[in-house]
Amino acid sequence: MSTNNIAESSNTQNPILKLLDCSLRVSVIPLSVATIWLTVTNKQDNSIYGDVKFNNLLGLKYMVCTSAICAAYALFAAIASWIRYFVTKAWLFFVSDQIVAYLMVTSGAAVMEILYLAYNGDQKITWSEACSSYGKFCNKMKVALILHALVLCCFIVLALISAYRVFSKFDPPFLSKQDNEERT
């Protein structure tokens, strides 16, 4: 058995790594669903300024869509991680985990900006802060953002695991004699 076959076998069959991977993917599902639920059901009426709800803000819609994609992908990946065909396709998980992690970063940044403006306003363009009038709405968005950040942390770890699985299959690059002498 060649060195690459041994590395491939040990990476795809490592039970602790596989359990951690599957556990993170499964834990992402309820966190994403909770983020969606908190965001979609979040609304508050104000007799002076009117009502605010999630679909008034494009960044919140983006976070809901991203969380739905994330939950669906996590469910698929958790199931696929036990199917031998997909286990041998480590690069598929690597690329997909990277894409989902980047989507999570961008949607989280959009919601952070919304919350920042809601709490602080922007005096240069005469936007006043809104959370004194819509405190319940802002608090629920903070909780949704925290859940979203937890999902992002899970996907960062998943991206590291999938990167390890892909790149540990390869031998390190060979050093020339000159490079080797410079290191010593």
Side-chain angles (χ1 to χ4, degrees):
M1 187 180 259
S2 73
T3 309
N4 286 340
N5 289 341
I6 293 170
E8 183 177 334
S9 173
S10 66
N11 288 336
T12 58
Q13 300 302 323
N14 186 341
I16 295 172
L17 199 58
K18 189 171 185 175
L19 180 63
L20 178 62
D21 182 273
C22 191
S23 298
L24 286 171
R25 291 183 192 284
V26 169
S27 66
V28 158
I29 298 166
L31 290 171
S32 294
V33 170
T35 300
I36 293 167
W37 180 79
L38 274 172
T39 306
V40 170
T41 61
N42 195 8
K43 62 183 174 183
Q44 186 174 354
D45 293 326
N46 184 309
S47 59
I48 298 171
Y49 299 111
D51 66 334
V52 65
K53 48 192 164 189
F54 98 96
N55 59 357
N56 296 125
L57 302 165
L58 189 59
L60 298 180
K61 290 179 187 178
Y62 180 51
M63 185 175 75
V64 166
C65 290
T66 302
S67 294
I69 290 167
C70 177
Y73 168 69
L75 178 62
F76 167 76
I79 293 168
S81 68
W82 293 97
I83 299 172
R84 186 164 182 77
Y85 173 77
F86 290 111
V87 171
T88 61
K89 307 292 184 210
W91 57 269
L92 182 67
F93 289 106
F94 172 67
V95 172
S96 301
D97 289 346
Q98 296 290 319
I99 290 170
V100 171
Y102 289 131
L103 285 173
M104 298 295 291
V105 168
T106 59
S107 62
V111 173
M112 272 201 269
E113 181 182 10
I114 290 169
L115 280 174
Y116 176 81
L117 290 172
Y119 275 101
N120 300 315
D122 190 349
Q123 298 303 324
K124 291 179 185 174
I125 57 173
T126 65
W127 281 359
S128 60
E129 58 86 25
C131 286
S132 59
S133 301
Y134 298 102
K136 180 181 143 198
F137 184 85
C138 291
N139 288 334
K140 283 180 88 174
M141 279 303 90
K142 278 196 296 189
V143 173
L145 184 60
I146 290 168
L147 292 173
H148 194 72
L150 289 172
V151 172
L152 173 61
C153 290
C154 289
F155 265 100
I156 289 171
V157 173
L158 286 166
L160 289 172
I161 291 170
S162 60
Y164 170 77
R165 285 185 174 151
V166 168
F167 295 115
S168 65
K169 292 180 182 183
F170 303 103
D171 293 329
F174 293 107
L175 295 175
S176 67
K177 281 186 176 182
Q178 183 180 13
D179 291 337
N180 205 10
E181 288 172 2
E182 287 176 4
R183 289 191 166 194
T184 56

